[in-house]
Amino acid sequence: MAAAQVTMSALDPSKASKNTFKLENTEKRDALIAIEKKYQAQWAEEGVFQPDAPTTTEIPLHATSAADLRSKYPKFFGTMAYPYMNGTLHAGHSFTVSKIEFTAGFSRMQGKRALFPLGFHCTGMPIKACADKLVREVEMFGREFEQCPVDDLVDGKDEKIDPAGTVPPAPTQSQTKDDVTKFTTKKSKAAAKSIKLKYQFQIMLAIGIPLDEIHRFADPQYWLTFFPPLCQRDLTNFGARIDWRRSFVTTDANPYYDAFVRWQMNRLKELDKIKYGKRYTIYSPKDGQPCMDHDRSEGEGIGPQEYTALKLKVKEWAPEAEKRLGDKVPKGANVYFVPATLRPETMYGQTCCFVGPKLSYGVYKAGQAEYFVITERAARNMAFQGILKENALSTPTAHLTGSSVVGTLVHAPLSIHKDGVRILPMESVLPTKGTGVVTSVPSDSPDDFATVTDLAKKAEYYGIQKEWAELEVIPIIQTPTYGDLTAPFLVNQLKINSPKDAKQLAEAKELAYKEGYYKGTMLIGEFKGEKVENAKPKVQSQLIQSGEAFKYAEPDGLVISRSGDNCVVALMDQWYLNYGEEDQHWRAQTLDWVDNGMNTYTSETKNGFDGVIGWLNKWACARTYGLGSKLPFDPDFLVESLSDSTIYMAYYTIAHYLHKDIFGKELGLGKIRAEQMKDEVWDYVFARRDLDDKIIKDCSIPKETLETMRREFEYWYPLDLRVSGKDLINNHLTFFIYIHIALFPSEYWPRGVRANGHLLLNGDKMSKHTGNFLTLDETVRKYGADASRIALADAGDGVEDANFEESVANSSILRLYTLREWCEETLKDKASLRTGAKDSFWDEIFENEMNGLVEETRQHYEGTMYKAALKSGLYDFISARDFYRESTTAAGIGMHYNLILRYIELQALLITPIAPHWAEHIWLEVLKKPTTVQKALFPTTTPASPSLTSARDYIRTTTSNILSAEASQLKKQARGKNTAFDPRRPKKLTIYAATSFPAWQDRYLEFVRAAFDATHLTVDDKRLNADVAKGGEMKKAMPFVQGLKRRLLGGKETPEEVFGRDLGFDEVAVLKEMVIGLRRTTGCTVVEVVKVDEGGKNGVVVVGGEDGEKKGERREGLPGVAAGAVPGAPGFFFENVD
């Protein structure tokens, strides 16, 4: 038990969230959670989130078209990528869930039947690999791993394994790149050392699995029974509007889903979308099968990179190399240095060949009398591509160091230097890229030119003969920008002085390649005069046909499998989906749908799809190890995890008719057995063919049942919204579009994909290692569902990374609790509220503001902008209530009962998509509505009055300016500075309101109007500045002109509003309404309003004195602030009075 205790001590799962926010008082949270639990149970009991299509009894199947049916009975169907069942959900999952959840909630309020189902993904290697590790560990250490040596876990050089199980992030989630396998603690001496997650049982402890339960996970099927219920529990506690009737697990553990996947693969093969043949693939020799994206612990998204491998025949060995070789290579055999190049068209200009002087090379047998000098890594790749004669794991014929072969003379194919070129040293040659041998073309490669220049300068230092590095550099390619010697030009232009100038060389390399490949013209060889991009494949073909080159591929980066294997590229016969260039029509259809038929919500998402569709090519769709469905036409293989998860959204539409439980053990509504779901039945249900007597006879499913399932599919499809992390654009989301286009009529192609960024926690990346991590369960238990949902809505809506702020969740607890309390208490105290006619100015302002915010919130929900919807529908809505309460209290009239009742009702409705439990409580318990708020429609209101909206903004701005001016005087006084008046003594406030704009402004307004282009929203500054200069009032006019420009170009006002300069309300009348409130908030004894005459020197009092005794009084010689007043921006003046 010691090993387990050490691990548990260091890797206590509770420490994963040790640095998150700590709650102290939880009474309010607990009260809110109690409400949430109540309504979650009620919703489940009533089946609130279990929508069905209109029945064929109501509307016979062919009585109307599917499109007309969806139009008559609007629907919303949204999904997220189903989570992988290797652990519980974390806060990042909940962010993706929230996007569908909020959309489904709002769709219900639009009168749509809203479907949000969720299944559980179990396909692939991860679960099986982890289970197999546990089998071995139980055999080695016992059922509770009591025989595992503690020393085996401490300070070792153990491989780092992903603690989340081990298991890749599902095809549905983003991968955490932290090294979370290393923890420290201040416990015992042993535990204080660094602990590595060497064994699978440790990883299970780290994710919270009890020690005495871990042995059960040695059975991969146990994972499928253990984690799905936890996922359902956590999402139910979150308040998710999920129809759990339609859930399922993938793999052949569910025979219905298994039949669905087999049908899918059969039809794709018939359509020639699945093919069999040799192709390059990332491959794990240890696992004996392709290693696809979600089989990897490192290197997701990396694919094969194909090179042209040249055969540079040795003509004369360097003395040291010849000595080392001795008689290990048979006499008469040909030995080749094999550089791998991406630019075969430049080989005419080879002047030498580089090796890494400190690297180790092997001499590997490639044929009867052929040997290659390459690195072990390259040999390993070549062995799995059928290039080498013997397996790469066997001992090479000989070993050489890079330094020992320097000076060797080799024949370089196509090079003008027919006598041969020398092997020279290059410090920057890497053993992890290419073959470790690099051919040198200094005319077009800045790295090569910089290196040969340096070698020639320091020949003695490098131990070479100077002339070896000074072979003639000839022009190979003509470019419009850099001439015919691109590399020397760029090295000189970018002031590159040494091969160590890595940053400049990287820039030069990129410039040289783009210019040469896309704009270059060949100057030499058989294809002289042709564009480089056309000549390149021809030169490659020529070299291969002559036997002087061959194709070679390797991973374009480090790829480590979940089993810890360093992967290679293998050329192997395999089943693959023919995405990409070989099926141009399919690719063109997919690209056109992304660009013209589907809503991607952001340009970043659309551009991401366009890019992936451009490069995606041939995807291996089968493997031999793991969990999954057998490939129906080759049952030795399993369908891989990214290929069985492309169209399962269609399965959701009928899942509840097939089975009641996620494993398909209990018959569903249709009383159908799995073996009855033949391929032809799937075809009919998914609108790929009509129904005939033969199908009915073969499957023995009643016609009425088949038609009902067809109705479910035709009604819910097409999928309206797919939400997922942006990283899945590279595979899953693109495959999802491709396969829908291949299998379904265009009427049923997906309508929308929303990609979101990753979720930060409190501004930092989530990491168990740093203690900045929360599971969904922890989040909901800590803050409750509604407060957590508010924080998720507040986190962000774009494709950039969002941020879950615990402070928002925490403050939301108080906000929701106090708002609920206020609603309850205010309606109970009806006697304190005004009744009768709603005819006060403040009633109008409040009602108008509510109307405007309702419409604004509707627009935000429709645009799936939930952070903005939260602001207008909760924060601003509360502010509107506060403003009304304060204004009516100051005016001495109190709030109106009907308006407060309306406010509470609207507030519940506006927040329903985001905080449904709180809204339900208000709806049922406070407002006493008869049915759930989940069935309520989004409110409709009369359009907001622009006049009242402008008046409200004017009141807030003016009040704020006045109070800020008074506060400024108080601060000055506190610092002992002189003030214009003493804020603590009795004081008077005079507000100066102008009735018209200064006449001089009219002329400059016309200048701006003449220079403004309303079509393109631009201003001709040259013309405008000339006109203003002619006016002769530059100092006064220019600020006014610039202000007009800002308003015109800001987009918040129409040109008509800017040039019209119509306030839309009676400023003086509004100021009269404000006086009582200002007297109270400023503490002024007297508040006067003076209407200022043209010129600003004189005016008349329109509101004055405590009892209005000054009203109508003329005022001469007004202070300077009066002259500065313009309509909509009054001046004001404080003074002390006795």
Side-chain angles (χ1 to χ4, degrees), residues 45 103 127 159 333 394 413 481 567 619 669 726 880 884 960 1008 1084 1098 1127-1128:
E45 183 180 349
T103 308
I127 291 174
E159 58 181 318
S394 64
T481 307
C567 294
W619 184 268
L669 296 174
K726 61 185 176 183
Y884 177 61
S960 175
V1008 176
C1084 287
N1098 306 313

Side-chain angles (χ1 to χ4, degrees), residues 592-638:
D592 180 67
W593 187 248
V594 167
D595 289 345
N596 302 307
M598 193 175 75
N599 183 3
T600 57
Y601 292 88
T602 67
S603 58
E604 293 92 335
T605 298
K606 177 183 169 298
N607 293 338
F609 276 123
D610 288 350
V612 173
I613 293 168
W615 61 254
L616 181 64
N617 190 41
K618 296 180 182 176
W619 184 268
C621 61
R623 60 159 55 85
T624 57
Y625 176 80
L627 302 181
S629 297
K630 290 181 178 179
L631 204 59
F633 39 82
D634 194 346
D636 290 337
F637 290 91
L638 299 171

